[in-house]
Amino acid sequence: MLIMAISFFTNCLKAQNNMNTNQALSPKEQSIISIAALTAKGDLSDLKTELNTGLETGLTINQIKEELVHLYAYCGFPRSIRGLQTFMEVLDERKTKGIIDVLGAETSPIQDNRSKYERGKKVIEKLTLTPPEEPLTGYSAFAPEIDVFLKEHLFADIFERDVLTYSERELVTISVISSIGGAEPMLRAHLNICLNVGLTPEQLQQFVTIIKSTVGRKEAKAAQKVLDGVLESRFKETK
């Protein structure tokens, strides 16, 4: 029944949101997931292998650097910096072998005169398809400073950078959250955003499979439970 619901839900989303017609994650997207998950777990040995794989699939140096910077917002500077240091080692090793990797595009300047807080609110609206809550509620009302940091830094400073697309950033985000565990409400929110920005239920099911093979059964089982709940809820909304 759930499989039938997912299939129906996918078709509805395609018609409504002009979603990506590819039902499988691309090799680049798969590598983005594995790199983020391994970095979050601190598995630097396997990360070296996956960084090489990512470059071979066509990810640019700047795309991988951007991914490793992005994930610090979800698993901290220590993991992010160790990931960057590991990537530097991989690039040096490849250079000694005569491999020249593509640097890729740099981030474009932000051409927007609004405050970062207002820009961050607009990004959140694009991702969630709903305007941010006003007045503040929950943890944002309890600690207004974190609301400012989230909107100004995470959703303006980071999400506005165009080296990665919104869907690629969301793949990084859900990979990190699934790998560290214990943050199911945040995972639920970002899985919904994944659907909003064009990822399909089939692709998210594939994401769970990659988490299982990269990180472990426990993390994949927890992610699958949250994903099932998200898809069931979204399917009900389309009826």
Side-chain angles (χ1 to χ4, degrees):
M1 181 63 71
L2 179 59
I3 294 176
M4 292 176 62
I6 291 172
S7 178
F8 179 82
F9 173 61
T10 304
N11 291 332
C12 290
L13 282 181
K14 283 181 183 177
Q16 294 174 4
N17 298 326
N18 190 27
M19 294 180 65
N20 186 352
T21 56
N22 294 323
Q23 294 305 300
L25 293 167
S26 70
K28 290 182 183 180
E29 291 170 325
Q30 294 177 49
S31 193
I32 283 173
I33 292 169
S34 296
I35 289 171
L38 291 168
T39 305
K41 294 296 287 187
D43 186 347
L44 303 183
S45 177
D46 286 346
L47 176 60
K48 289 187 73 171
T49 300
E50 192 54 47
L51 287 167
N52 276 285
T53 299
L55 291 166
E56 295 299 328
T57 65
L59 287 173
T60 68
I61 293 173
N62 282 337
Q63 284 177 318
I64 294 178
K65 285 199 298 184
E66 191 72 20
E67 172 178 5
L68 295 171
V69 170
H70 176 102
L71 59 78
Y72 99 81
Y74 297 94
C75 63
F77 277 114
R79 293 296 195 213
S80 176
I81 290 172
R82 290 298 288 131
L84 288 166
Q85 290 170 333
T86 303
F87 189 34
M88 291 168 64
E89 293 174 10
V90 167
L91 292 175
D92 286 342
E93 291 171 1
R94 290 171 68 87
K95 284 180 182 178
T96 62
K97 297 176 182 178
I99 301 173
I100 306 300
D101 293 299
V102 178
L103 180 61
E106 301 279 352
T107 186
S108 302
I110 301 298
Q111 304 292 340
D112 193 327
N113 294 326
R114 291 175 299 175
S115 70
K116 287 199 292 184
Y117 190 82
E118 290 301 319
R119 286 168 22 215
K121 285 173 60 177
K122 186 57 64 175
V123 171
I124 291 173
E125 187 172 347
K126 289 179 181 177
L127 295 173
T128 64
L129 305 182
T130 56
E133 288 186 347
E134 292 183 351
L136 300 178
T137 61
Y139 66 82
S140 293
F142 180 67
E145 296 85 355
I146 201 168
D147 176 73
V148 174
F149 297 156
L150 282 169
K151 289 185 173 72
E152 291 190 352
H153 183 48
L154 177 58
F155 290 106
D157 286 339
I158 297 177
F159 264 86
E160 278 190 314
R161 292 166 61 86
D162 59 2
V163 177
L164 297 176
T165 65
Y166 282 163
S167 62
E168 289 167 341
R169 289 189 183 279
E170 285 304 321
L171 287 177
V172 175
T173 300
I174 61 175
S175 299
V176 172
I177 297 172
S178 297
S179 298
I180 62 177
E184 284 73 19
M186 184 175 289
L187 178 60
R188 184 178 303 109
H190 282 280
L191 285 170
N192 271 296
I193 291 174
C194 284
L195 295 167
N196 292 343
V197 298
L199 291 163
T200 67
E202 287 85 356
Q203 289 171 328
L204 294 179
Q205 295 286 2
Q206 188 180 0
F207 152 76
V208 174
T209 300
I210 296 172
I211 290 297
K212 181 179 179 179
S213 62
T214 304
V215 182
R217 292 178 178 272
K218 177 182 176 182
E219 292 83 356
K221 183 178 180 180
Q224 184 69 63
K225 182 178 180 180
V226 177
L227 177 59
D228 287 345
V230 167
L231 295 179
E232 181 179 1
S233 177
R234 296 280 287 239
F235 169 66
K236 288 179 180 178
E237 293 175 4
T238 64
K239 292 182 67 176

